[in-house]
Structures are given as C-alpha cells and as structure tokens.
Amino acid sequence: MRVYVPLTLPGLAEAHKTGELGTGPFVAYAVTPALREWYLSDDIEELEYAALSRAAQASLRLLAADPDAVRRRVVVAVDVPDRAATADPDRGLDPGALGEVTVAGTVALAKAAAVHVDADDAEADVAAAAQALESADGGDDDAQFVVDGADDHELLWYATQEIPNLV
C-alpha cells in the first residue's frame, strides 16, 4: 500500500539523519475505502492524488504547530505492506480523517518512492494558511479562504536522491 506521510522540512531532515520516517505508530494518508466513497472515483491516480492532498493538509497542521519551520509543506510517499497500515473504521467518514491510516512499526526512509515539497514561491501563501488555520477551524470563512489558498500550489516531485539538497 502506498501511504503519504506528512512532514515539515525539519521533520524530513530528521528522517534523513536517522534513516527512518517514523518509529510507529504514526499517521499517514492512503487510498482507504472511505476516501474512495467520498471521492467517487475508481481512477487510482486520482485517488492517490486525493490521499496526497490530505497529507499536504496534515503537513500544514504540522507547520502551524512549529513556527520555526520553513513554510513549505512536505509529504513523503512510501510503500508499506498492506497489514502495516490500518484505517480506523470508527473515523472512516469523519471529514477530518478521510484517508487517514495508522502505520505500525518503523518505516525506513530508504523505502520512500518520492518526496513532494512546495516550491519556494509557495512559502508566503503557506505561511498565511498556517497562521489562519486555527480561525478556519473555528468557522471563519475568510480564514478558510486563506487556508484554501495553499492548495493552489502544487507540491513538486523529488526523487529520494534529492533529499540531501532539500534539507
């Protein structure tokens, strides 16, 4: 199963240093039955893009919690055995948990397929989105508009060999 692990650049640097994405259990995003039902598509590429987008939103939350991190969302795509990632059936249709899975155990960074990171020109919009996140969660429509502005930036694809240059 391909899972998408939300990180920040400091988190990616730590993974690069230790060689591990997480020591488990940790949250990632994947094509789950609930995500399939919500997205209403059988196109696996579209579904994986939706899971990647969910992970990018989670990365934004990590940025909001770490004011010192560079304002660029980071998502690592990695393949894990199907049994290593489980979705919580009780949270399956919770809009905030769509595509969410828990990955058990340690995942080696060497198993990563790719890294997705915002371009430099997204930093201002991502910073504004991270700052507006709490208000958006509280129902502020203007703040939600700012948060949605981060989604206007596509994450760039990087080969795993490029991680040292990113961190």
Side-chain angles (χ1 to χ4, degrees):
M1 170 184 284
R2 168 122 336 148
V3 298
Y4 298 91
V5 182
L7 292 175
T8 60
L9 283 173
L12 182 61
E14 181 66 19
H16 178 64
K17 183 174 89 176
T18 65
E20 297 176 345
L21 277 173
T23 57
F26 60 91
V27 172
Y29 293 81
V31 178
T32 62
L35 185 72
R36 283 181 187 274
E37 186 177 324
W38 171 75
Y39 197 73
L40 298 173
S41 175
D42 289 331
D43 184 324
I44 192 64
E45 287 184 18
E46 288 181 19
L47 289 165
E48 286 185 351
Y49 183 77
L52 171 68
S53 296
R54 301 293 296 173
Q57 291 171 1
S59 176
L60 183 63
R61 291 193 176 285
L62 294 173
L63 288 172
D66 183 356
D68 295 329
V70 175
R71 298 332 223 182
R72 293 170 69 189
R73 299 168 297 167
V74 177
V75 176
V76 177
V78 63
D79 294 321
V80 299
D82 288 344
R83 67 188 182 287
T86 56
D88 182 348
D90 294 333
R91 289 185 42 126
L93 295 177
D94 174 359
L98 284 170
E100 187 178 283
V101 295
T102 301
V103 178
T106 300
V107 176
L109 183 59
K111 299 237 183 226
V115 179
H116 304 271
V117 181
D118 276 310
D120 292 341
D121 66 353
E123 284 186 32
D125 288 339
V126 171
Q131 187 172 1
L133 197 55
E134 186 176 342
S135 295
D137 287 346
D140 183 327
D141 290 338
D142 292 334
Q144 186 62 52
F145 181 78
V146 173
V147 170
D148 292 343
D151 290 337
D152 291 341
H153 297 277
E154 293 289 330
L155 297 179
L156 302 178
W157 181 95
Y158 292 90
T160 56
Q161 299 89 331
E162 296 177 275
I163 291 173
N165 295 330
L166 289 169
V167 298

